[in-house]
Amino acid sequence: MSGRLWCCLWLFFPWLVWSATGSWHEQLQNTDRIKTVDFAEFQLRLHSFEQRKSSMSPADLAYLNFLLAYAELYLGDPDAALQRLVPLSRQQPESALAFRARALMLNSYLISQQYLEAFTQLELLLQQLPMVTQTAAREQGLLVIALAYLHAGQPELAIEYASQLEAEPVSATSLCKAKQQKAQAYLQTGQFAAQRQYLDSAVQFCLKHKEWLFAGMLKISQANSLVQQGQYQQALSLLLNYQQKVTDLAFPRLLADFDLALAEVYFGLEQPELARQAAQRVLQISRLADKDQSKASAWLVLYRLARQQGQYQQALEYHEAYLRAFTSLMQHQRQQQQAYYNAQLNVEAKQRQIESLDKDNRLLKAEQSSMQHQAAYTQVLILLLSLFVLGLSLWLYRLYRSRSALKQQTEIDPATGISNKSHFSQQARALLEKAEQKQQELALIRLELTALQQIQQQQGTQAADQLLAQAVQACRNFLRNQDLLGRVGPFEFALLLPGTDPDKAMMLAEICRDAVLPILSPLLPEQQALVSGGVSLSRWSGYHLTCLVDDAEQAMLHARKSGQQLALYSPDLQTSSGQ
């Protein structure tokens, strides 16, 4: 036998031994287990299976197609993955493999930004999850459900399903994913600092099992929490100790979040050049979309640096880039949340339709069995019943319309379409009570369009109200779903912002002011103080609405006296006003 033949046999002998051992199903299961550990070996095995699939049973072929779909999704081709997964989800729909296919479909829809399809799939998974007993299927389903809730802006539900996964006997990789998802959800809800002990243990767990990617994500979350508390030196030490591992992983999402955290730390440590370099590295990652959160935040860091150093032209350019990225990001998040609620409504409507059809079928069968000899009487009875249902529906509809109209009159300001003062106060107190229970930071912005008083005198109340409505709509575009907006005076409106620190509150106040000025300035170009505003925070004013409103008004009066348009309330401001 030639040397070349011996060499080939030596190279392929381990593979031949592996492929010859165990049934097709066992081989596919072993391959399934290594897909997140050794993707190169995973691909090699799939290629061998495809060449020999003629000897597989239909069930094994379905399993192979599922694994091929996973590989296509991992390589960035969700459309090709969906072409395999949709037929799999319809074959034996109650099987564990069909459930896993639907879970992977949800992931594919999220990656391809088909959010309505994604959240429709989410509702189906939630219905089927209680019946699923296979460990791999439950593991995959719980992970994808938690991920989908993060995309939908529902962090509490993401925490619930990630915690459920932690309580089940799953792999270390899945546990690390679950812990990382919980950390991301804690950041969204503002509970990250309160969960530090849990997060420290999560990092140690992922490091112990060599899950470097998820450990890196958790460390970045820890650093961001330290930055929020002003502990910049500790955050820097934490990041630098893990920097080489992040560089070796070369995962774009991880690199972007890591450099953004570095930029925030260096800005807090007053090292502008290092902060600028880190922010620019984020912008140079080509795989990030313009609507990416990291890109928007990097533009904001560059804007703050330029403004701090007096480079106002550069600061303006950075601010415009930030506004474009921020607006795109907000629109993207709004689309995700709208798709989530639309999917819920669609599923509920289908369930009601099915229940209604089932109820009608049962009623018809009962009538047919008990009144076979009374056809005429049955027809009259059905007609009367239909008329009754129609009359009841009309009555309920009119009642609903009258209640809706009454609610509109008592809660909504007719000129602007936002909450009136009493309704805003009612909502604000409920939100303040919830924020106080969670010890969540909260800010109140109070804006007064001082120019409207002159416009009202010159052109009438209707013209002033129209301009106020335009100003409210301009600011409304920058708010989140959980923020409150209400009219609190003839020319004033207020914004209540949970989970907002001083920098973000002042930035949003400036954005609103900049959005409102183009509406008013053409009418009163000679007027200097077209808009004035004040910002108050729960850290200084407490969680009482009256104190927040009064302190915001005091800041606004201070801004007018000092020739500014905006001011942030603080104890120092109160002392200077008293003097």
Side-chain angles (χ1 to χ4, degrees):
M1 187 176 294
S2 67
R4 179 177 299 179
L5 181 58
W6 276 111
C7 181
C8 291
L9 285 175
W10 177 258
L11 289 173
F12 285 96
F13 181 73
W15 173 261
L16 292 172
V17 171
W18 173 83
S19 61
T21 58
S23 65
W24 274 120
H25 186 71
E26 290 174 346
Q27 295 181 48
L28 290 167
Q29 278 187 322
N30 292 331
T31 304
D32 192 0
R33 294 188 186 101
I34 68 167
K35 63 182 183 295
T36 60
V37 178
D38 189 348
F39 186 74
E41 175 68 16
F42 176 72
Q43 281 187 294
L44 182 63
R45 293 188 185 184
L46 290 184
H47 179 69
S48 173
F49 292 155
E50 281 197 287
Q51 293 179 340
R52 298 178 293 141
K53 64 183 181 182
S54 59
S55 61
M56 291 185 178
S57 68
D60 293 332
L61 279 173
Y63 199 176
L64 175 61
N65 272 322
F66 170 77
L67 296 178
L68 289 169
Y70 179 92
E72 288 164 342
L73 183 61
Y74 185 94
L75 295 172
D77 193 352
D79 293 333
L82 285 169
Q83 289 180 3
R84 294 182 185 273
L85 293 169
V86 171
L88 285 177
S89 68
R90 295 170 180 167
Q91 297 175 7
Q92 299 179 346
E94 303 301 324
S95 67
L97 184 63
F99 180 82
R100 295 185 69 186
R102 282 188 282 272
L104 201 56
M105 284 172 61
L106 170 54
N107 208 344
S108 302
Y109 285 135
L110 290 174
I111 292 174
S112 58
Q113 298 183 7
Q114 301 179 54
Y115 295 117
L116 182 58
E117 293 82 356
F119 295 126
T120 301
Q121 199 68 33
L122 170 64
E123 296 297 326
L124 295 176
L125 288 177
L126 291 171
Q127 294 174 14
Q128 296 164 359
L129 182 63
M131 283 79 77
V132 176
T133 57
Q134 188 193 67
T135 301
R138 288 189 61 80
E139 174 180 325
Q140 185 177 353
L142 287 168
L143 280 173
V144 173
I145 288 170
L147 176 65
Y149 277 130
L150 286 174
H151 278 270
Q154 302 291 325
E156 292 85 0
L157 290 172
I159 292 171
E160 176 183 341
Y161 283 94
S163 299
Q164 188 174 340
L165 180 62
E166 286 183 309
E168 300 198 4
V170 296
S171 65
T173 299
S174 295
L175 280 178
C176 282
K177 289 181 182 178
K179 292 176 187 298
Q180 189 273 329
Q181 287 176 344
K182 283 182 71 172
Q184 189 175 349
Y186 285 141
L187 275 176
Q188 288 187 15
T189 57
Q191 302 176 43
F192 195 92
Q195 299 293 335
R196 176 173 294 183
Q197 185 175 0
Y198 166 82
L199 296 165
D200 290 343
S201 65
V203 171
Q204 295 305 317
F205 179 89
C206 291
L207 290 174
K208 177 182 177 181
H209 292 86
K210 298 182 180 181
E211 295 292 342
W212 311 119
L213 176 61
F214 302 112
M217 292 179 178
L218 286 165
K219 279 183 172 289
I220 292 169
S221 298
Q222 285 182 311
N224 289 332
S225 177
L226 291 171
V227 168
Q228 292 176 2
Q229 300 170 49
Q231 300 178 24
Y232 299 106
Q233 196 60 49
Q234 294 182 25
L236 179 62
S237 176
L238 187 150
L239 291 171
L240 293 181
N241 287 338
Y242 207 74
Q243 186 171 21
Q244 186 59 49
K245 181 61 68 176
V246 171
T247 303
D248 294 341
L249 289 170
F251 186 66
R253 171 81 274 147
L254 184 66
L255 287 170
D257 292 344
F258 184 88
D259 282 331
L260 178 62
L262 271 181
E264 292 286 356
V265 169
Y266 283 133
F267 181 85
L269 292 173
E270 299 181 359
Q271 298 184 34
E273 187 56 34
L274 292 176
R276 182 180 294 104
Q277 292 174 9
Q280 288 174 344
R281 286 198 299 271
V282 176
L283 300 176
Q284 290 168 2
I285 297 177
S286 59
R287 294 189 184 181
L288 296 183
D290 290 336
K291 59 194 171 188
D292 186 83
Q293 174 71 55
S294 296
K295 271 198 172 181
S297 299
W299 284 120
L300 181 60
V301 170
L302 292 173
Y303 159 71
R304 289 157 60 194
L305 284 168
R307 187 178 65 175
Q308 187 181 69
Q309 297 177 350
Q311 300 173 3
Y312 297 111
Q313 181 61 36
Q314 188 71 52
L316 179 61
E317 294 174 4
Y318 287 147
H319 192 264
E320 290 174 350
Y322 165 72
L323 285 180
R324 288 193 298 270
F326 182 78
T327 302
S328 179
L329 176 65
M330 291 298 101
Q331 291 174 349
H332 180 67
Q333 291 179 350
R334 192 175 294 112
Q335 289 172 359
Q336 288 180 310
Q337 293 172 356
Q338 187 61 47
Y340 170 70
Y341 292 119
N342 288 343
Q344 283 189 315
L345 292 175
N346 291 342
V347 170
E348 290 173 2
K350 288 180 181 179
Q351 289 177 340
R352 287 195 297 269
Q353 185 178 13
I354 292 173
E355 291 171 359
S356 177
L357 289 173
D358 289 341
K359 188 182 297 183
D360 290 344
N361 288 335
R362 289 194 297 270
L363 179 61
L364 288 173
K365 287 179 181 180
E367 290 175 348
Q368 288 172 358
S369 62
S370 62
M371 299 183 179
Q372 293 178 355
H373 305 291
Q374 302 179 23
Y377 175 77
T378 302
Q379 291 177 358
V380 173
L381 183 61
I382 292 174
L383 178 60
L384 292 175
L385 181 62
S386 299
L387 290 174
F388 171 76
V389 170
L390 178 61
L392 180 61
S393 300
L394 289 174
W395 178 77
L396 291 174
Y397 177 74
R398 290 177 181 175
L399 180 62
Y400 169 78
R401 289 293 300 272
S402 63
R403 289 186 176 180
S404 298
L406 180 61
K407 182 178 180 181
Q408 185 79 6
Q409 293 173 2
T410 57
E411 297 181 354
I412 303 302
D413 175 54
T416 60
I418 62 176
S419 296
N420 57 29
K421 185 174 182 179
S422 61
H423 187 230
F424 174 79
S425 299
Q426 181 182 357
Q427 288 183 306
R429 289 189 176 93
L431 185 59
L432 285 166
E433 182 179 354
K434 185 177 179 181
E436 185 175 13
Q437 291 174 353
K438 296 182 178 181
Q439 286 301 298
Q440 183 184 32
E441 182 107 29
L442 186 142
L444 184 137
I445 301 174
R446 184 168 181 174
L447 293 176
E448 181 176 10
L449 281 59
T450 53
L452 290 184
Q453 187 171 3
Q454 184 175 348
I455 293 173
Q456 184 185 48
Q457 294 171 355
Q458 294 175 355
Q459 303 179 26
T461 302
Q462 185 176 1
D465 283 346
Q466 289 176 352
L467 291 172
L468 180 61
Q470 294 177 27
V472 166
Q473 186 58 41
C475 290
R476 201 172 195 171
N477 293 329
F478 301 101
L479 298 185
R480 304 165 298 180
N481 288 343
Q482 63 264 39
D483 297 335
L484 293 183
L485 176 64
R487 184 174 183 178
V488 296
F491 313 115
E492 295 179 64
F493 58 94
L495 301 87
L496 191 60
L497 313 169
T500 304
D501 58 24
D503 289 342
K504 291 182 180 178
M506 284 299 294
M507 182 190 70
L508 182 58
E510 291 172 357
I511 290 173
C512 286
R513 177 202 62 195
D514 293 342
V516 170
L517 284 177
I519 298 172
L520 303 178
S521 56
L523 301 173
L524 297 170
E526 73 285 359
Q527 190 90 359
Q528 295 300 319
L530 298 176
V531 180
S532 58
V535 179
S536 59
L537 298 166
S538 58
R539 67 170 66 175
W540 292 314
S541 304
Y543 294 92
H544 302 286
L545 180 61
T546 303
C547 295
L548 284 166
V549 171
D550 291 343
D551 292 343
E553 182 176 10
Q554 184 176 345
M556 181 168 60
L557 295 174
H558 176 77
R560 291 179 188 169
K561 292 178 182 179
S562 58
Q564 301 174 358
Q565 292 182 335
L566 295 172
L568 173 67
Y569 174 81
S570 69
D572 295 336
L573 178 64
Q574 184 179 24
T575 303
S576 62
S577 300
Q579 293 174 351

